[in-house]
Amino acid sequence: MKTLVFIPAWNEEHSIEAVIADARKNLPKVDLLVIDDGSTDRTAARARRAGVMVASLPFNQGVGAAHQTGYIFALAHGYEACGQIDGDGQHPASELVRLVAVIESGDADLVVGSRFAGESDYRASRMRRGGQRMFSLLVSSATGQSFTDTTSGMRALNHRAMALFVRRYSSEFAEVESLQQAVRAGLTVRELPVGMLPRAEGKSFITPLVSAFYIFKTLVVLLVGQLRPRTNEPDGHP
Amino acid sequence: MSGLLAAVEPVVRLSPQTRVIAAVLALAFMLLILDLIRRDRLLERYSIVWFLLGLVMLAGAAFPILLELLARALGVRDVTIALFSAVLLLLLGLALNFSVIASRQAKQITRLAQQSAIETIEQPGEIESTKPAIDKG
């Protein structure tokens, strides 16, 4: 199966080379694409030097637009499956291998790597975990399917899911809203427990007030999502 | 209390002075719109609604009967209240309209950025030199 793995990266010049090397080692058969989301540092240059394809957005567009760029490229170039890991080094490529394998076996349309399912030893602050639980609760009740890690950026998907996300993809709550979208479109979505590393650089800006605001926004986004017309069959293959 | 329901004949009207000021403002507004179009600062598409608004302002100043009809239709005795309500609703609608336009354009910009990003895969060397210069008029 022709598979693409893309790495959205925004100002990750310190980690991008290691992420690429890790992906190369664990996923020797796939094509690698770095999606440089308008970085102002040397992320794109370093990725190019590492010899992978690099798509540079002319300005920072947010994680949703970056993911969607990957899906547009993958569909346009005939990839049947794609996987994605963040450019900050949080996601070991060895774990993505398992997600991609599920897609290649045809058992799911979208597979999400979860830090919290199963016996993951991922350590997060209590605040952060509380926020994650809240997101999970919201998404689970919106979709009627249980999710433990709704903000995970490690995922793999097939062309059906890609086609769905090319048509519409949330720019602000990409990970959360896309789960709802996929379930509502009748796609098979699975979660797989994965191990993740803590962020290499402390860039998370989640304060209590910000997370409360996020949760509120997510609630609104999911409610609106429930009201959207259902798209049953993503275009493309039957 | 009976006045609330029995508002028939508007009792508060615009004074002649107000009408003159309104007419002058409306004319100035329309001239401004024309000038903005002339200098390429406003697309015709958006100017039409503003120009119409200027015309309506002018009509309201020239023919007070129009405002009184409006007040009667809304069931208020004060012409100025009818005027404020109508203008407020209109502005609300316009603001919403602009949010819709802004959302659509944001989507279009994102898609353009994505396509340009995909093109940079093939021409990695040319990114710096092709940054477009936008004419700010």
PDB file of all heavy atoms in Angstrom, chain A residues 33 48 53-59 61 64-66 68-69 72-73 77 166-167, chain B residues 106-107 109-125 127 131:
ATOM      1  N   LEU A  33       6.982  13.441   4.482  1.00  0.00           N
ATOM      2  CA  LEU A  33       6.718  14.830   4.104  1.00  0.00           C
ATOM      3  C   LEU A  33       6.652  15.672   5.376  1.00  0.00           C
ATOM      4  O   LEU A  33       5.904  15.365   6.296  1.00  0.00           O
ATOM      5  CB  LEU A  33       5.371  14.915   3.359  1.00  0.00           C
ATOM      6  CG  LEU A  33       4.765  16.304   3.148  1.00  0.00           C
ATOM      7  CD1 LEU A  33       5.605  17.138   2.205  1.00  0.00           C
ATOM      8  CD2 LEU A  33       3.337  16.193   2.629  1.00  0.00           C
ATOM      9  N   ARG A  48      14.728  19.900   4.727  1.00  0.00           N
ATOM     10  CA  ARG A  48      15.175  19.696   3.342  1.00  0.00           C
ATOM     11  C   ARG A  48      16.563  19.086   3.318  1.00  0.00           C
ATOM     12  O   ARG A  48      16.848  18.197   2.527  1.00  0.00           O
ATOM     13  CB  ARG A  48      15.212  21.036   2.592  1.00  0.00           C
ATOM     14  CG  ARG A  48      13.838  21.531   2.259  1.00  0.00           C
ATOM     15  CD  ARG A  48      13.780  22.378   1.001  1.00  0.00           C
ATOM     16  NE  ARG A  48      12.361  22.570   0.696  1.00  0.00           N
ATOM     17  CZ  ARG A  48      11.642  23.556   1.215  1.00  0.00           C
ATOM     18  NH1 ARG A  48      12.203  24.452   1.996  1.00  0.00           N
ATOM     19  NH2 ARG A  48      10.356  23.646   0.933  1.00  0.00           N
ATOM     20  N   MET A  53      10.672  15.378   1.645  1.00  0.00           N
ATOM     21  CA  MET A  53       9.853  16.399   0.991  1.00  0.00           C
ATOM     22  C   MET A  53       9.425  17.413   2.048  1.00  0.00           C
ATOM     23  O   MET A  53       9.119  17.058   3.183  1.00  0.00           O
ATOM     24  CB  MET A  53       8.595  15.765   0.393  1.00  0.00           C
ATOM     25  CG  MET A  53       8.855  14.814  -0.748  1.00  0.00           C
ATOM     26  SD  MET A  53       7.300  14.266  -1.485  1.00  0.00           S
ATOM     27  CE  MET A  53       6.711  13.103  -0.263  1.00  0.00           C
ATOM     28  N   VAL A  54       9.412  18.663   1.674  1.00  0.00           N
ATOM     29  CA  VAL A  54       8.966  19.704   2.606  1.00  0.00           C
ATOM     30  C   VAL A  54       7.949  20.598   1.910  1.00  0.00           C
ATOM     31  O   VAL A  54       8.211  21.119   0.825  1.00  0.00           O
ATOM     32  CB  VAL A  54      10.154  20.563   3.091  1.00  0.00           C
ATOM     33  CG1 VAL A  54       9.646  21.651   4.044  1.00  0.00           C
ATOM     34  CG2 VAL A  54      11.188  19.704   3.792  1.00  0.00           C
ATOM     35  N   ALA A  55       6.799  20.732   2.526  1.00  0.00           N
ATOM     36  CA  ALA A  55       5.778  21.661   2.037  1.00  0.00           C
ATOM     37  C   ALA A  55       5.741  22.835   2.997  1.00  0.00           C
ATOM     38  O   ALA A  55       5.457  22.669   4.168  1.00  0.00           O
ATOM     39  CB  ALA A  55       4.412  20.984   1.977  1.00  0.00           C
ATOM     40  N   SER A  56       6.066  24.009   2.472  1.00  0.00           N
ATOM     41  CA  SER A  56       6.110  25.181   3.353  1.00  0.00           C
ATOM     42  C   SER A  56       4.884  26.052   3.165  1.00  0.00           C
ATOM     43  O   SER A  56       4.689  26.630   2.098  1.00  0.00           O
ATOM     44  CB  SER A  56       7.368  26.005   3.050  1.00  0.00           C
ATOM     45  OG  SER A  56       8.478  25.432   3.669  1.00  0.00           O
ATOM     46  N   LEU A  57       4.077  26.148   4.201  1.00  0.00           N
ATOM     47  CA  LEU A  57       2.962  27.095   4.153  1.00  0.00           C
ATOM     48  C   LEU A  57       3.543  28.504   4.225  1.00  0.00           C
ATOM     49  O   LEU A  57       4.476  28.747   4.993  1.00  0.00           O
ATOM     50  CB  LEU A  57       1.992  26.833   5.307  1.00  0.00           C
ATOM     51  CG  LEU A  57       1.114  25.593   5.121  1.00  0.00           C
ATOM     52  CD1 LEU A  57       0.709  24.994   6.447  1.00  0.00           C
ATOM     53  CD2 LEU A  57      -0.128  25.940   4.314  1.00  0.00           C
ATOM     54  N   PRO A  58       2.995  29.427   3.441  1.00  0.00           N
ATOM     55  CA  PRO A  58       3.594  30.767   3.388  1.00  0.00           C
ATOM     56  C   PRO A  58       3.475  31.525   4.699  1.00  0.00           C
ATOM     57  O   PRO A  58       4.238  32.444   4.960  1.00  0.00           O
ATOM     58  CB  PRO A  58       2.816  31.465   2.278  1.00  0.00           C
ATOM     59  CG  PRO A  58       1.578  30.674   2.079  1.00  0.00           C
ATOM     60  CD  PRO A  58       1.893  29.272   2.485  1.00  0.00           C
ATOM     61  N   PHE A  59       2.502  31.160   5.543  1.00  0.00           N
ATOM     62  CA  PHE A  59       2.391  31.781   6.859  1.00  0.00           C
ATOM     63  C   PHE A  59       1.724  30.786   7.775  1.00  0.00           C
ATOM     64  O   PHE A  59       1.073  29.851   7.338  1.00  0.00           O
ATOM     65  CB  PHE A  59       1.584  33.092   6.818  1.00  0.00           C
ATOM     66  CG  PHE A  59       0.518  33.113   5.778  1.00  0.00           C
ATOM     67  CD1 PHE A  59      -0.660  32.399   5.956  1.00  0.00           C
ATOM     68  CD2 PHE A  59       0.710  33.801   4.590  1.00  0.00           C
ATOM     69  CE1 PHE A  59      -1.639  32.397   4.975  1.00  0.00           C
ATOM     70  CE2 PHE A  59      -0.271  33.795   3.604  1.00  0.00           C
ATOM     71  CZ  PHE A  59      -1.440  33.104   3.791  1.00  0.00           C
ATOM     72  N   GLN A  61      -0.720  28.812   9.737  1.00  0.00           N
ATOM     73  CA  GLN A  61      -2.153  28.665   9.517  1.00  0.00           C
ATOM     74  C   GLN A  61      -2.817  27.831  10.596  1.00  0.00           C
ATOM     75  O   GLN A  61      -4.018  27.637  10.577  1.00  0.00           O
ATOM     76  CB  GLN A  61      -2.388  27.994   8.165  1.00  0.00           C
ATOM     77  CG  GLN A  61      -2.211  28.914   6.992  1.00  0.00           C
ATOM     78  CD  GLN A  61      -3.481  29.675   6.703  1.00  0.00           C
ATOM     79  OE1 GLN A  61      -4.509  29.108   6.372  1.00  0.00           O
ATOM     80  NE2 GLN A  61      -3.424  30.981   6.865  1.00  0.00           N
ATOM     81  N   GLY A  64      -4.635  22.586  12.080  1.00  0.00           N
ATOM     82  CA  GLY A  64      -5.648  21.998  11.212  1.00  0.00           C
ATOM     83  C   GLY A  64      -5.303  22.155   9.743  1.00  0.00           C
ATOM     84  O   GLY A  64      -5.349  21.194   8.968  1.00  0.00           O
ATOM     85  N   ALA A  65      -4.924  23.373   9.372  1.00  0.00           N
ATOM     86  CA  ALA A  65      -4.571  23.627   7.976  1.00  0.00           C
ATOM     87  C   ALA A  65      -3.345  22.815   7.583  1.00  0.00           C
ATOM     88  O   ALA A  65      -3.232  22.343   6.454  1.00  0.00           O
ATOM     89  CB  ALA A  65      -4.314  25.110   7.754  1.00  0.00           C
ATOM     90  N   ALA A  66      -2.420  22.634   8.530  1.00  0.00           N
ATOM     91  CA  ALA A  66      -1.216  21.857   8.240  1.00  0.00           C
ATOM     92  C   ALA A  66      -1.583  20.393   7.976  1.00  0.00           C
ATOM     93  O   ALA A  66      -1.150  19.799   6.987  1.00  0.00           O
ATOM     94  CB  ALA A  66      -0.230  21.965   9.400  1.00  0.00           C
ATOM     95  N   GLN A  68      -4.421  19.274   6.983  1.00  0.00           N
ATOM     96  CA  GLN A  68      -5.190  19.201   5.743  1.00  0.00           C
ATOM     97  C   GLN A  68      -4.269  19.273   4.525  1.00  0.00           C
ATOM     98  O   GLN A  68      -4.535  18.626   3.505  1.00  0.00           O
ATOM     99  CB  GLN A  68      -6.210  20.337   5.711  1.00  0.00           C
ATOM    100  CG  GLN A  68      -7.444  19.987   4.902  1.00  0.00           C
ATOM    101  CD  GLN A  68      -8.441  21.119   4.864  1.00  0.00           C
ATOM    102  OE1 GLN A  68      -8.090  22.288   4.988  1.00  0.00           O
ATOM    103  NE2 GLN A  68      -9.703  20.782   4.679  1.00  0.00           N
ATOM    104  N   THR A  69      -3.201  20.062   4.643  1.00  0.00           N
ATOM    105  CA  THR A  69      -2.235  20.111   3.547  1.00  0.00           C
ATOM    106  C   THR A  69      -1.714  18.709   3.259  1.00  0.00           C
ATOM    107  O   THR A  69      -1.588  18.300   2.099  1.00  0.00           O
ATOM    108  CB  THR A  69      -1.053  21.039   3.918  1.00  0.00           C
ATOM    109  OG1 THR A  69      -1.560  22.310   4.303  1.00  0.00           O
ATOM    110  CG2 THR A  69      -0.111  21.203   2.748  1.00  0.00           C
ATOM    111  N   ILE A  72      -4.444  16.712   1.456  1.00  0.00           N
ATOM    112  CA  ILE A  72      -4.613  17.145   0.061  1.00  0.00           C
ATOM    113  C   ILE A  72      -3.494  16.558  -0.790  1.00  0.00           C
ATOM    114  O   ILE A  72      -3.730  15.985  -1.862  1.00  0.00           O
ATOM    115  CB  ILE A  72      -4.597  18.696  -0.034  1.00  0.00           C
ATOM    116  CG1 ILE A  72      -5.825  19.291   0.655  1.00  0.00           C
ATOM    117  CG2 ILE A  72      -4.553  19.137  -1.493  1.00  0.00           C
ATOM    118  CD1 ILE A  72      -5.777  20.802   0.810  1.00  0.00           C
ATOM    119  N   PHE A  73      -2.268  16.683  -0.280  1.00  0.00           N
ATOM    120  CA  PHE A  73      -1.129  16.167  -1.033  1.00  0.00           C
ATOM    121  C   PHE A  73      -1.240  14.651  -1.211  1.00  0.00           C
ATOM    122  O   PHE A  73      -1.050  14.118  -2.307  1.00  0.00           O
ATOM    123  CB  PHE A  73       0.179  16.517  -0.313  1.00  0.00           C
ATOM    124  CG  PHE A  73       1.392  15.921  -0.974  1.00  0.00           C
ATOM    125  CD1 PHE A  73       1.933  16.513  -2.107  1.00  0.00           C
ATOM    126  CD2 PHE A  73       1.977  14.769  -0.468  1.00  0.00           C
ATOM    127  CE1 PHE A  73       3.039  15.957  -2.733  1.00  0.00           C
ATOM    128  CE2 PHE A  73       3.088  14.204  -1.094  1.00  0.00           C
ATOM    129  CZ  PHE A  73       3.616  14.807  -2.225  1.00  0.00           C
ATOM    130  N   HIS A  77      -1.704  12.630  -4.823  1.00  0.00           N
ATOM    131  CA  HIS A  77      -0.594  11.821  -5.332  1.00  0.00           C
ATOM    132  C   HIS A  77      -0.824  10.335  -5.137  1.00  0.00           C
ATOM    133  O   HIS A  77       0.118   9.540  -5.135  1.00  0.00           O
ATOM    134  CB  HIS A  77       0.721  12.267  -4.698  1.00  0.00           C
ATOM    135  CG  HIS A  77       1.147  13.624  -5.176  1.00  0.00           C
ATOM    136  ND1 HIS A  77       0.604  14.793  -4.673  1.00  0.00           N
ATOM    137  CD2 HIS A  77       2.018  14.006  -6.137  1.00  0.00           C
ATOM    138  CE1 HIS A  77       1.135  15.820  -5.296  1.00  0.00           C
ATOM    139  NE2 HIS A  77       1.996  15.383  -6.186  1.00  0.00           N
ATOM    140  N   VAL A 166     -10.355  16.410   3.605  1.00  0.00           N
ATOM    141  CA  VAL A 166      -9.982  17.401   2.594  1.00  0.00           C
ATOM    142  C   VAL A 166     -11.159  18.340   2.355  1.00  0.00           C
ATOM    143  O   VAL A 166     -10.987  19.530   2.158  1.00  0.00           O
ATOM    144  CB  VAL A 166      -9.548  16.714   1.280  1.00  0.00           C
ATOM    145  CG1 VAL A 166      -9.548  17.701   0.120  1.00  0.00           C
ATOM    146  CG2 VAL A 166      -8.149  16.116   1.442  1.00  0.00           C
ATOM    147  N   ARG A 167     -12.361  17.760   2.430  1.00  0.00           N
ATOM    148  CA  ARG A 167     -13.534  18.602   2.193  1.00  0.00           C
ATOM    149  C   ARG A 167     -13.725  19.634   3.288  1.00  0.00           C
ATOM    150  O   ARG A 167     -14.047  20.779   3.037  1.00  0.00           O
ATOM    151  CB  ARG A 167     -14.783  17.731   2.073  1.00  0.00           C
ATOM    152  CG  ARG A 167     -15.040  17.329   0.635  1.00  0.00           C
ATOM    153  CD  ARG A 167     -16.431  16.801   0.486  1.00  0.00           C
ATOM    154  NE  ARG A 167     -16.558  15.547   1.195  1.00  0.00           N
ATOM    155  CZ  ARG A 167     -17.712  14.916   1.342  1.00  0.00           C
ATOM    156  NH1 ARG A 167     -18.809  15.432   0.859  1.00  0.00           N
ATOM    157  NH2 ARG A 167     -17.758  13.775   1.981  1.00  0.00           N
TER     158      ARG A 167
ATOM    159  N   ALA B 106     -11.199  33.541   4.731  1.00  0.00           N
ATOM    160  CA  ALA B 106     -10.187  32.827   5.513  1.00  0.00           C
ATOM    161  C   ALA B 106     -10.009  31.419   4.958  1.00  0.00           C
ATOM    162  O   ALA B 106      -8.887  30.916   4.832  1.00  0.00           O
ATOM    163  CB  ALA B 106     -10.594  32.773   6.986  1.00  0.00           C
ATOM    164  N   LYS B 107     -11.122  30.766   4.604  1.00  0.00           N
ATOM    165  CA  LYS B 107     -11.047  29.425   4.026  1.00  0.00           C
ATOM    166  C   LYS B 107     -10.297  29.440   2.706  1.00  0.00           C
ATOM    167  O   LYS B 107      -9.478  28.577   2.436  1.00  0.00           O
ATOM    168  CB  LYS B 107     -12.470  28.898   3.775  1.00  0.00           C
ATOM    169  CG  LYS B 107     -12.991  28.006   4.865  1.00  0.00           C
ATOM    170  CD  LYS B 107     -14.250  27.327   4.366  1.00  0.00           C
ATOM    171  CE  LYS B 107     -15.188  27.065   5.516  1.00  0.00           C
ATOM    172  NZ  LYS B 107     -16.543  26.756   5.049  1.00  0.00           N
ATOM    173  N   ILE B 109      -8.122  31.631   1.706  1.00  0.00           N
ATOM    174  CA  ILE B 109      -6.697  31.917   1.935  1.00  0.00           C
ATOM    175  C   ILE B 109      -5.983  30.649   2.385  1.00  0.00           C
ATOM    176  O   ILE B 109      -4.889  30.335   1.921  1.00  0.00           O
ATOM    177  CB  ILE B 109      -6.541  33.041   2.980  1.00  0.00           C
ATOM    178  CG1 ILE B 109      -6.982  34.372   2.378  1.00  0.00           C
ATOM    179  CG2 ILE B 109      -5.098  33.131   3.462  1.00  0.00           C
ATOM    180  CD1 ILE B 109      -7.132  35.488   3.391  1.00  0.00           C
ATOM    181  N   THR B 110      -6.634  29.898   3.288  1.00  0.00           N
ATOM    182  CA  THR B 110      -6.024  28.660   3.758  1.00  0.00           C
ATOM    183  C   THR B 110      -5.771  27.706   2.596  1.00  0.00           C
ATOM    184  O   THR B 110      -4.689  27.132   2.469  1.00  0.00           O
ATOM    185  CB  THR B 110      -6.934  27.987   4.805  1.00  0.00           C
ATOM    186  OG1 THR B 110      -7.050  28.854   5.915  1.00  0.00           O
ATOM    187  CG2 THR B 110      -6.370  26.663   5.256  1.00  0.00           C
ATOM    188  N   ARG B 111      -6.788  27.562   1.737  1.00  0.00           N
ATOM    189  CA  ARG B 111      -6.619  26.627   0.617  1.00  0.00           C
ATOM    190  C   ARG B 111      -5.501  27.092  -0.329  1.00  0.00           C
ATOM    191  O   ARG B 111      -4.699  26.293  -0.806  1.00  0.00           O
ATOM    192  CB  ARG B 111      -7.955  26.481  -0.123  1.00  0.00           C
ATOM    193  CG  ARG B 111      -8.090  25.259  -1.041  1.00  0.00           C
ATOM    194  CD  ARG B 111      -7.544  23.975  -0.469  1.00  0.00           C
ATOM    195  NE  ARG B 111      -8.246  23.377   0.644  1.00  0.00           N
ATOM    196  CZ  ARG B 111      -9.085  22.342   0.549  1.00  0.00           C
ATOM    197  NH1 ARG B 111      -9.316  21.790  -0.609  1.00  0.00           N
ATOM    198  NH2 ARG B 111      -9.655  21.851   1.621  1.00  0.00           N
ATOM    199  N   LEU B 112      -5.445  28.393  -0.556  1.00  0.00           N
ATOM    200  CA  LEU B 112      -4.367  28.931  -1.388  1.00  0.00           C
ATOM    201  C   LEU B 112      -3.012  28.645  -0.763  1.00  0.00           C
ATOM    202  O   LEU B 112      -2.068  28.232  -1.445  1.00  0.00           O
ATOM    203  CB  LEU B 112      -4.528  30.440  -1.534  1.00  0.00           C
ATOM    204  CG  LEU B 112      -5.350  30.954  -2.699  1.00  0.00           C
ATOM    205  CD1 LEU B 112      -5.426  32.465  -2.624  1.00  0.00           C
ATOM    206  CD2 LEU B 112      -4.706  30.535  -4.006  1.00  0.00           C
ATOM    207  N   ALA B 113      -2.923  28.882   0.547  1.00  0.00           N
ATOM    208  CA  ALA B 113      -1.660  28.651   1.252  1.00  0.00           C
ATOM    209  C   ALA B 113      -1.269  27.181   1.144  1.00  0.00           C
ATOM    210  O   ALA B 113      -0.100  26.846   0.931  1.00  0.00           O
ATOM    211  CB  ALA B 113      -1.788  29.061   2.711  1.00  0.00           C
ATOM    212  N   GLN B 114      -2.270  26.298   1.263  1.00  0.00           N
ATOM    213  CA  GLN B 114      -1.976  24.869   1.196  1.00  0.00           C
ATOM    214  C   GLN B 114      -1.478  24.488  -0.189  1.00  0.00           C
ATOM    215  O   GLN B 114      -0.522  23.730  -0.340  1.00  0.00           O
ATOM    216  CB  GLN B 114      -3.228  24.069   1.547  1.00  0.00           C
ATOM    217  CG  GLN B 114      -3.591  24.199   3.008  1.00  0.00           C
ATOM    218  CD  GLN B 114      -4.936  23.599   3.345  1.00  0.00           C
ATOM    219  OE1 GLN B 114      -5.855  23.608   2.531  1.00  0.00           O
ATOM    220  NE2 GLN B 114      -5.070  23.081   4.550  1.00  0.00           N
ATOM    221  N   GLN B 115      -2.142  25.033  -1.216  1.00  0.00           N
ATOM    222  CA  GLN B 115      -1.694  24.697  -2.566  1.00  0.00           C
ATOM    223  C   GLN B 115      -0.301  25.237  -2.829  1.00  0.00           C
ATOM    224  O   GLN B 115       0.538  24.573  -3.432  1.00  0.00           O
ATOM    225  CB  GLN B 115      -2.698  25.225  -3.595  1.00  0.00           C
ATOM    226  CG  GLN B 115      -3.816  24.216  -3.805  1.00  0.00           C
ATOM    227  CD  GLN B 115      -5.048  24.811  -4.418  1.00  0.00           C
ATOM    228  OE1 GLN B 115      -5.056  25.982  -4.811  1.00  0.00           O
ATOM    229  NE2 GLN B 115      -6.102  24.026  -4.508  1.00  0.00           N
ATOM    230  N   SER B 116      -0.051  26.447  -2.342  1.00  0.00           N
ATOM    231  CA  SER B 116       1.285  26.999  -2.545  1.00  0.00           C
ATOM    232  C   SER B 116       2.306  26.182  -1.770  1.00  0.00           C
ATOM    233  O   SER B 116       3.420  25.961  -2.228  1.00  0.00           O
ATOM    234  CB  SER B 116       1.297  28.480  -2.157  1.00  0.00           C
ATOM    235  OG  SER B 116       2.078  28.696  -1.026  1.00  0.00           O
ATOM    236  N   ALA B 117       1.912  25.680  -0.590  1.00  0.00           N
ATOM    237  CA  ALA B 117       2.831  24.849   0.198  1.00  0.00           C
ATOM    238  C   ALA B 117       3.176  23.576  -0.560  1.00  0.00           C
ATOM    239  O   ALA B 117       4.332  23.149  -0.589  1.00  0.00           O
ATOM    240  CB  ALA B 117       2.206  24.503   1.545  1.00  0.00           C
ATOM    241  N   ILE B 118       2.150  22.976  -1.186  1.00  0.00           N
ATOM    242  CA  ILE B 118       2.403  21.732  -1.920  1.00  0.00           C
ATOM    243  C   ILE B 118       3.313  22.012  -3.109  1.00  0.00           C
ATOM    244  O   ILE B 118       4.185  21.205  -3.447  1.00  0.00           O
ATOM    245  CB  ILE B 118       1.057  21.105  -2.342  1.00  0.00           C
ATOM    246  CG1 ILE B 118       0.395  20.503  -1.097  1.00  0.00           C
ATOM    247  CG2 ILE B 118       1.260  20.033  -3.397  1.00  0.00           C
ATOM    248  CD1 ILE B 118      -1.011  20.038  -1.296  1.00  0.00           C
ATOM    249  N   GLU B 119       3.164  23.200  -3.697  1.00  0.00           N
ATOM    250  CA  GLU B 119       4.063  23.537  -4.806  1.00  0.00           C
ATOM    251  C   GLU B 119       5.499  23.698  -4.335  1.00  0.00           C
ATOM    252  O   GLU B 119       6.427  23.443  -5.101  1.00  0.00           O
ATOM    253  CB  GLU B 119       3.579  24.810  -5.499  1.00  0.00           C
ATOM    254  CG  GLU B 119       2.483  24.510  -6.501  1.00  0.00           C
ATOM    255  CD  GLU B 119       1.789  25.773  -6.977  1.00  0.00           C
ATOM    256  OE1 GLU B 119       2.400  26.845  -6.911  1.00  0.00           O
ATOM    257  OE2 GLU B 119       0.625  25.660  -7.404  1.00  0.00           O
ATOM    258  N   THR B 120       5.692  24.110  -3.086  1.00  0.00           N
ATOM    259  CA  THR B 120       7.073  24.295  -2.627  1.00  0.00           C
ATOM    260  C   THR B 120       7.805  22.966  -2.507  1.00  0.00           C
ATOM    261  O   THR B 120       9.024  22.946  -2.408  1.00  0.00           O
ATOM    262  CB  THR B 120       7.152  24.993  -1.252  1.00  0.00           C
ATOM    263  OG1 THR B 120       6.540  24.141  -0.270  1.00  0.00           O
ATOM    264  CG2 THR B 120       6.487  26.340  -1.265  1.00  0.00           C
ATOM    265  N   ILE B 121       7.083  21.855  -2.526  1.00  0.00           N
ATOM    266  CA  ILE B 121       7.766  20.561  -2.482  1.00  0.00           C
ATOM    267  C   ILE B 121       8.620  20.396  -3.722  1.00  0.00           C
ATOM    268  O   ILE B 121       9.745  19.925  -3.659  1.00  0.00           O
ATOM    269  CB  ILE B 121       6.740  19.408  -2.398  1.00  0.00           C
ATOM    270  CG1 ILE B 121       5.945  19.515  -1.112  1.00  0.00           C
ATOM    271  CG2 ILE B 121       7.442  18.061  -2.465  1.00  0.00           C
ATOM    272  CD1 ILE B 121       4.838  18.496  -0.999  1.00  0.00           C
ATOM    273  N   GLU B 122       8.053  20.837  -4.853  1.00  0.00           N
ATOM    274  CA  GLU B 122       8.786  20.650  -6.104  1.00  0.00           C
ATOM    275  C   GLU B 122       9.870  21.701  -6.317  1.00  0.00           C
ATOM    276  O   GLU B 122      10.905  21.435  -6.885  1.00  0.00           O
ATOM    277  CB  GLU B 122       7.824  20.645  -7.291  1.00  0.00           C
ATOM    278  CG  GLU B 122       7.166  19.294  -7.525  1.00  0.00           C
ATOM    279  CD  GLU B 122       5.881  19.119  -6.722  1.00  0.00           C
ATOM    280  OE1 GLU B 122       5.150  20.115  -6.610  1.00  0.00           O
ATOM    281  OE2 GLU B 122       5.634  18.022  -6.210  1.00  0.00           O
ATOM    282  N   GLN B 123       9.603  22.930  -5.873  1.00  0.00           N
ATOM    283  CA  GLN B 123      10.620  23.971  -6.096  1.00  0.00           C
ATOM    284  C   GLN B 123      11.147  24.472  -4.764  1.00  0.00           C
ATOM    285  O   GLN B 123      10.815  25.574  -4.331  1.00  0.00           O
ATOM    286  CB  GLN B 123      10.033  25.153  -6.880  1.00  0.00           C
ATOM    287  CG  GLN B 123       9.511  24.780  -8.237  1.00  0.00           C
ATOM    288  CD  GLN B 123       7.992  24.854  -8.281  1.00  0.00           C
ATOM    289  OE1 GLN B 123       7.373  25.410  -7.393  1.00  0.00           O
ATOM    290  NE2 GLN B 123       7.401  24.293  -9.309  1.00  0.00           N
ATOM    291  N   PRO B 124      11.970  23.678  -4.119  1.00  0.00           N
ATOM    292  CA  PRO B 124      12.394  24.063  -2.769  1.00  0.00           C
ATOM    293  C   PRO B 124      13.225  25.335  -2.737  1.00  0.00           C
ATOM    294  O   PRO B 124      13.240  26.032  -1.740  1.00  0.00           O
ATOM    295  CB  PRO B 124      13.217  22.858  -2.296  1.00  0.00           C
ATOM    296  CG  PRO B 124      13.570  22.110  -3.523  1.00  0.00           C
ATOM    297  CD  PRO B 124      12.536  22.413  -4.547  1.00  0.00           C
ATOM    298  N   GLY B 125      13.900  25.673  -3.852  1.00  0.00           N
ATOM    299  CA  GLY B 125      14.832  26.795  -3.789  1.00  0.00           C
ATOM    300  C   GLY B 125      14.188  28.158  -3.892  1.00  0.00           C
ATOM    301  O   GLY B 125      14.804  29.162  -3.565  1.00  0.00           O
ATOM    302  N   ILE B 127      11.467  29.630  -2.549  1.00  0.00           N
ATOM    303  CA  ILE B 127      10.464  30.140  -1.606  1.00  0.00           C
ATOM    304  C   ILE B 127      10.699  31.598  -1.250  1.00  0.00           C
ATOM    305  O   ILE B 127       9.797  32.409  -1.285  1.00  0.00           O
ATOM    306  CB  ILE B 127      10.471  29.290  -0.327  1.00  0.00           C
ATOM    307  CG1 ILE B 127      10.233  27.854  -0.704  1.00  0.00           C
ATOM    308  CG2 ILE B 127       9.398  29.764   0.620  1.00  0.00           C
ATOM    309  CD1 ILE B 127      10.890  26.903   0.241  1.00  0.00           C
ATOM    310  N   LYS B 131       7.997  35.389  -2.495  1.00  0.00           N
ATOM    311  CA  LYS B 131       7.073  36.052  -1.566  1.00  0.00           C
ATOM    312  C   LYS B 131       6.393  37.203  -2.285  1.00  0.00           C
ATOM    313  O   LYS B 131       7.041  38.129  -2.756  1.00  0.00           O
ATOM    314  CB  LYS B 131       7.849  36.578  -0.341  1.00  0.00           C
ATOM    315  CG  LYS B 131       8.270  35.487   0.617  1.00  0.00           C
ATOM    316  CD  LYS B 131       7.414  35.509   1.892  1.00  0.00           C
ATOM    317  CE  LYS B 131       7.519  34.217   2.672  1.00  0.00           C
ATOM    318  NZ  LYS B 131       8.756  34.122   3.445  1.00  0.00           N
TER     319      LYS B 131
END
